[in-house]
Amino acid sequence: MAEGYDFDVLVIGAGPGGYVAAIRAAQLGLKTACVESRETLGGTCLNVGCIPSKALLHASELFEEAAHGTLAKWGVKPGNVELDLGQMHATRLEAVKGLTQGIEFLFKKNKVEWLKGRASFESADTVKVGDRNVRAKNIVIATGSSVTPLPGITIDQERIVDSTGALELPEVPKRMVVIGGGVIGLELGSVWRRLGAQITVVEFLDQILPGFDGDVRKEASKIFKKQGFEFRLSTKVTKAERKGDTVTLAIEPAAGGAAETIEADVVLVSIGRKPNTDGLALDKAGLQTNQRGQIETDHRFKTKVAGVWAIGDVIPGPMLAHKAEDEGIAVAENIAGQTGIVNEEVIPSVVYTMPEIAGVGLTEEEARKSGDVKVGKFPMLANSRAKTNREPDGFVKVIADAKTDRVLGVWIIASVAGTMIGEAALAMEFGATSEDIAYTCHAHPTHEEALKEAAMAVQGKPIHI
Ligand code: FAD
Ligand code: NAI
């Protein structure tokens, strides 16, 4: 270890970015510590994000299949289906406990020291954790993000909740208003809808799911409406007031106009997330945030201050766990003198609703801006496995460069879109053409055959439509 330092690498934050960076740095022979202020490791993702939300999505999907006749259609008659919400929450917590303890085990195994407490900079190479000043040759900021507050609305985690509160509701609300038709609103809205809530989504823009391909946004909206979601698009919430167990919301057209009120038992605020830099004393390290509150880095995840690096939700780019993890590996490799790279153009994104919604690369709208494209589409209704499983909703869309045939983007709505998108990401990482995918033998009967057919459709020659 370098002289005069306590550690070669000090990581601030033990989310998917930070804990992965710490483990990789230790694997590479660097003396590493990770500071985390939470009681458990794993960050937002493991404690109050990806994992508990997917536990509830899985559980509520099972409930809906049993309660609403899907299982009966297959000859499985579960009898009188009852919801045991307490048990559902217990299983969610068990999943979180198992995985967060798993990170603790990995820290011990790899000799990463966990410094418990909140970190703040004293200088570019020294961080204060509790009463202790820790000096490290390299410091990685991986402090993640937290909920963006909505001015005028106070989150009480009972009736007006953010995603953390929405994971822990002790009973199913009758009426739930979701502010923001993005990923969290649709995933957690789906959970409570399946368990019996009536969901109204108030979205500022004229469509849900910003950032997704236009066709996907339209189709997803139709599917969610069919499931019972009500959308109030181009609408903003100006006030939310709790009286007893009821919340009254004032809403009005986004462009201005006549206001109206709606009532809810629970309101979920899910209008995005903001980087965590409060209390870090970045100025003492010589750093500032940009206008969006993010810490800027170069492609190696170096900030403008030598020895200080940053990764994950706190830097620009999509706020996704797998992006943070990959940056964690890359930053550790760069610190160790290797070449750590993340291909920012091939980061898949998945919404874990039913059906799932996934994409990687450019949307059709983005691709058309940069040149001529060919698009192939294949409906899940024509895929034998999806049809057999009674999962007809959705499609696969492959966008390729018109001249080179190189795949620029893939968008999928399908029950297992989150699994299918991995193949598309791998193909794009290897610079595949649509023809490469079309001529790859896909197992039958699988949902993945729809990707092959969509690739064939780019050439205008799919078989099953
Ligand atoms: P975080 O996971 O936010 O971790 C940062 C950690 O740093 C935190 O534990 C925090 O306590 C700690 N910290 C902050 N400041 C300090 C300090 N000064 N000192 C010490 N510790 C500090 N992404 C997906 O890819 N897939 C999903 O399915 C998914 N589902 C989600 C569901 C929900 C409800 C939410 C809210 C998010 C979801 N995300 C999902 C996003 C994902 O959680 C984040 O992209 C990911 O956690 C970012 O990782 P990170 O390491 O950058 O930060
Ligand atoms: P989001 O950015 O996905 O969606 C927020 C939505 O709120 C947008 O549609 C936006 O137009 C709308 N909005 C903004 N201000 C508004 C206002 N005042 N009134 C009404 N609508 C308003 O953000 P969300 O859903 O909060 O999620 C945050 C992030 O967490 C995501 O961007 C994603 O990176 C991550 N996440 C990822 C998941 C996954 O990968 N499956 C699951 C959950 C979260």
Side-chain angles (χ1 to χ4, degrees):
M1 199 183 59
E3 222 173 292
Y5 292 105
D6 301 302
F7 296 98
D8 293 312
V9 181
L10 178 78
V11 182
I12 307 177
Y19 84 71
V20 168
I23 291 173
R24 189 78 184 119
Q27 283 175 347
L28 293 168
L30 300 167
K31 188 177 181 211
T32 306
C34 184
V35 194
E36 173 56 59
S37 54
R38 249 179 238 275
E39 295 290 302
T40 47
L41 301 173
T44 304
C45 179
L46 273 67
N47 288 284
V48 291
C50 327
I51 297 304
S53 63
K54 265 78 256 179
L56 287 189
L57 278 156
H58 181 65
S60 59
E61 179 63 19
L62 292 176
F63 174 77
E64 190 173 42
E65 285 186 359
H68 297 285
T70 310
L71 290 186
K73 191 85 195 168
W74 286 100
V76 181
K77 294 201 167 165
N80 190 20
V81 179
E82 260 181 70
L83 175 64
D84 182 347
L85 189 55
Q87 181 56 42
M88 214 175 255
H89 283 313
T91 306
R92 163 179 62 84
L93 291 170
E94 200 182 304
V96 169
K97 192 171 171 201
L99 289 170
T100 53
Q101 285 181 345
I103 309 298
E104 222 175 310
F105 163 79
L106 290 174
F107 269 17
K108 283 192 189 123
K109 183 179 160 201
N110 288 285
K111 303 196 170 48
V112 173
E113 196 175 324
W114 174 8
L115 306 180
K116 297 185 184 182
R118 181 154 278 277
S120 63
F121 280 96
E122 288 291 314
S123 70
D125 67 4
T126 304
V127 158
K128 193 176 172 71
V129 184
D131 301 334
R132 183 177 168 194
N133 274 359
V134 186
R135 196 161 173 245
K137 189 156 187 241
N138 294 280
I139 296 175
V140 180
I141 306 170
T143 47
S145 65
S146 46
V147 177
T148 305
L150 188 52
I153 296 181
T154 310
I155 289 174
D156 62 16
Q157 296 300 28
E158 279 181 9
R159 296 281 157 184
I160 304 179
V161 298
D162 60 17
S163 56
T164 303
L167 290 168
E168 288 169 358
L169 298 180
E171 57 189 47
V172 181
K174 271 207 183 78
R175 302 159 301 174
M176 184 172 192
V177 168
V178 174
I179 310 179
V183 192
I184 291 182
L186 294 169
E187 287 190 359
L188 294 178
S190 289
V191 165
W192 295 106
R193 183 200 59 73
R194 292 168 187 169
L195 301 181
Q198 181 198 321
I199 309 290
T200 304
V201 177
V202 181
E203 166 59 52
F204 188 81
L205 300 175
D206 61 355
Q207 274 192 77
I208 58 169
L209 284 176
F212 281 68
D213 180 85
D215 273 347
V216 167
R217 296 174 78 180
K218 263 190 239 138
E219 185 66 17
S221 172
K222 271 195 227 156
I223 293 170
F224 289 124
K225 275 187 201 154
K226 208 165 69 184
Q227 292 177 354
F229 273 82
E230 188 191 335
F231 291 110
R232 302 292 303 258
L233 302 176
S234 307
T235 303
K236 63 181 176 195
V237 175
T238 52
K239 214 163 62 181
E241 253 175 9
R242 176 178 173 180
K243 268 209 190 108
D245 287 346
T246 304
V247 183
T248 306
L249 295 113
I251 61 171
E252 62 183 53
E260 59 177 300
T261 56
I262 51 174
E263 290 197 333
D265 304 303
V266 169
V267 175
L268 164 60
V269 180
S270 50
I271 58 161
R273 294 179 61 81
K274 61 175 179 60
N276 288 333
T277 53
D278 285 355
L280 262 183
L282 287 178
D283 52 323
K284 291 193 185 167
L287 281 172
Q288 298 86 32
T289 54
N290 67 16
Q291 277 191 330
R292 306 188 64 193
Q294 299 156 327
I295 299 172
E296 301 265 359
T297 70
D298 65 10
H299 68 283
R300 304 181 65 217
F301 309 104
K302 251 181 159 162
T303 67
K304 64 169 196 163
V305 175
V308 183
W309 312 70
I311 54 168
D313 281 9
V314 80
I315 71 168
M319 289 179 160
L320 295 170
H322 41 280
K323 177 228 178 219
E325 283 188 48
D326 284 8
E327 291 177 349
I329 291 174
V331 78
E333 291 178 349
N334 286 327
I335 289 171
Q338 301 181 356
T339 308
I341 296 170
V342 176
N343 182 358
E344 304 286 340
E345 285 170 17
V346 185
I347 295 175
S349 170
V350 182
V351 189
Y352 296 87
T353 47
M354 182 51 76
E356 293 177 346
I357 302 165
V360 59
L362 300 181
T363 63
E364 186 176 340
E365 297 75 21
E366 288 164 343
R368 286 201 186 281
K369 272 189 210 147
S370 48
D372 286 343
V373 297
K374 291 183 294 181
V375 175
K377 242 175 120 175
F378 188 81
M380 293 313 293
L381 187 63
N383 170 271
S384 59
R385 186 66 182 278
K387 196 166 161 59
T388 306
N389 286 5
R390 301 176 59 81
E391 296 160 343
D393 286 335
F395 57 78
V396 179
K397 175 172 173 179
V398 174
I399 303 155
D401 184 291
K403 281 194 209 83
T404 64
D405 191 36
R406 193 172 168 152
V407 178
L408 302 174
V410 175
W411 295 88
I412 307 176
I413 302 184
S415 57
V416 289
T419 307
M420 293 167 73
I421 205 69
E423 179 187 341
L426 191 64
M428 285 177 64
E429 189 64 44
F430 284 178
T433 60
S434 75
E435 198 178 43
D436 290 329
I437 300 178
Y439 283 105
T440 299
C441 188
H442 285 66
H444 176 75
T446 58
H447 295 79
E448 279 80 358
E449 286 172 288
L451 175 58
K452 176 189 169 95
E453 291 263 15
M456 290 167 92
V458 173
Q459 319 293 327
K461 49 181 186 184
I463 299 291
H464 292 95
I465 38 169

